[in-house]
Amino acid sequence: MKKIIYSLLLLVLALAYTSCENYETYADKKEAERDAINDFIAREGIQVISEQQFVAQDSTTDVSKNQYVYFDRNGVYMQIVRKGVGQKLAENKSTNILCRFLEKNIKLDSVLLRNDIQAWLTYNGSTYDTSLYVDKMSVVRTGNTITASFITGMMYMYHGSASVPAGWLVPLNYVKIGRPDAAVAGDQEIAKVHLIVPHSQGTSDASASVYPCYYEITYQISR
């Protein structure tokens, strides 16, 4: 009888140990996220610059050197591909902005969602051509603080929330929001950025599962 009890005790201890070994804490997940971001930066040959250098460069990033500025306050990395046409966001005024994007889970190295090209998404039993769904968000800037919510689009539908990832709003302090005007000569391309967004600045899904995302996003004012 004692041998049976002893064997059962060993089995319980072994299972408990295995459970502890397999349990991943929030700190473990954050460390894995940092490792994934660092691996992505190394793999993509990204040159990280400080905010001080970014400001000294007139708030631009040198795309030819694949520069991204790192923001200490939120952990977001940003590359401004194009500052765009138009004007910076007006103060205390609601502006509707259209976005096309690519969303990639850095940890899994997989595309989650995109509407920048024709792509197919099966969701709740229906199949969608995501390129037909431009994301529209309502944005308000108060000083350097920007708030926003999705009105329509794939991000709203897929992630099930009107909340715009905080990382998406970081570029709006630096790019211009407009749209091409055929009557105006010269560069008429809309604003475009690349972002590395940690879970704390990402979607509700990223926040819950602690994974970082890479984004390519264009911003254009809605008529």
Side-chain angles (χ1 to χ4, degrees):
M1 184 67 177
K2 288 183 179 181
K3 287 184 178 180
I4 294 174
I5 294 173
Y6 181 69
S7 297
L8 289 173
L9 180 59
L10 288 177
L11 178 60
V12 170
L13 289 173
L15 290 173
Y17 177 78
T18 301
S19 178
C20 289
E21 284 288 296
N22 291 335
Y23 179 69
E24 189 177 29
T25 66
Y26 178 58
D28 293 333
K29 291 178 181 179
K30 287 204 298 181
E31 184 176 355
E33 177 183 56
R34 284 192 296 270
D35 289 343
I37 290 174
N38 290 335
D39 289 345
F40 181 80
I41 288 171
R43 186 169 65 249
E44 296 297 319
I46 292 170
Q47 180 188 116
V48 179
I49 64 172
S50 66
E51 290 183 67
Q52 290 77 16
Q53 183 175 342
F54 177 64
V55 172
Q57 295 177 178
D58 194 26
S59 298
T60 61
T61 51
D62 190 336
V63 178
S64 69
K65 296 179 181 178
N66 204 17
Q67 287 182 346
Y68 281 60
V69 55
Y70 173 69
F71 294 99
D72 290 307
R73 62 186 177 276
N74 53 36
V76 172
Y77 297 78
M78 176 184 71
Q79 180 181 72
I80 298 178
V81 180
R82 301 189 299 261
K83 282 206 170 184
V85 297
Q87 305 294 324
K88 288 191 174 181
L89 282 177
E91 182 88 7
N92 298 318
K93 179 184 177 182
S94 179
T95 303
N96 288 340
I97 297 177
L98 304 177
C99 297
R100 287 196 178 275
F101 69 92
L102 160 71
E103 179 184 51
K104 184 176 182 180
N105 182 327
I106 292 175
K107 207 171 179 181
L108 299 179
D109 192 27
S110 61
V111 173
L112 295 176
L113 193 63
R114 67 189 311 169
N115 67 2
D116 58 333
I117 63 171
Q118 188 176 54
W120 301 98
L121 172 71
T122 300
Y123 182 77
N124 285 344
S126 298
T127 300
Y128 301 87
D129 174 359
T130 60
S131 66
L132 300 178
Y133 297 84
V134 181
D135 278 76
K136 180 189 284 190
M137 57 185 184
S138 175
V139 183
V140 177
R141 180 176 72 83
T142 306
N144 289 329
T145 301
I146 297 175
T147 56
S149 59
F150 285 119
I151 300 171
T152 58
M154 293 308 302
M155 287 288 285
Y156 188 6
M157 182 175 72
Y158 181 79
H159 291 291
S161 173
S163 178
V164 178
W168 276 44
L169 306 180
V170 172
L172 296 181
N173 278 311
Y174 307 100
V175 300
K176 296 177 181 179
I177 306 299
R179 59 189 307 129
D181 184 347
V184 178
D187 184 7
Q188 286 289 294
E189 292 186 292
I190 60 176
K192 182 177 182 178
V193 301
H194 296 164
L195 299 172
I196 299 171
V197 179
H199 76 282
S200 58
Q201 301 294 306
T203 64
S204 56
D205 292 335
S207 182
S209 298
V210 192
Y211 63 80
C213 282
Y214 167 76
Y215 290 100
E216 296 179 3
I217 310 173
T218 59
Y219 302 94
Q220 177 177 305
I221 197 164
S222 175
R223 285 179 178 161

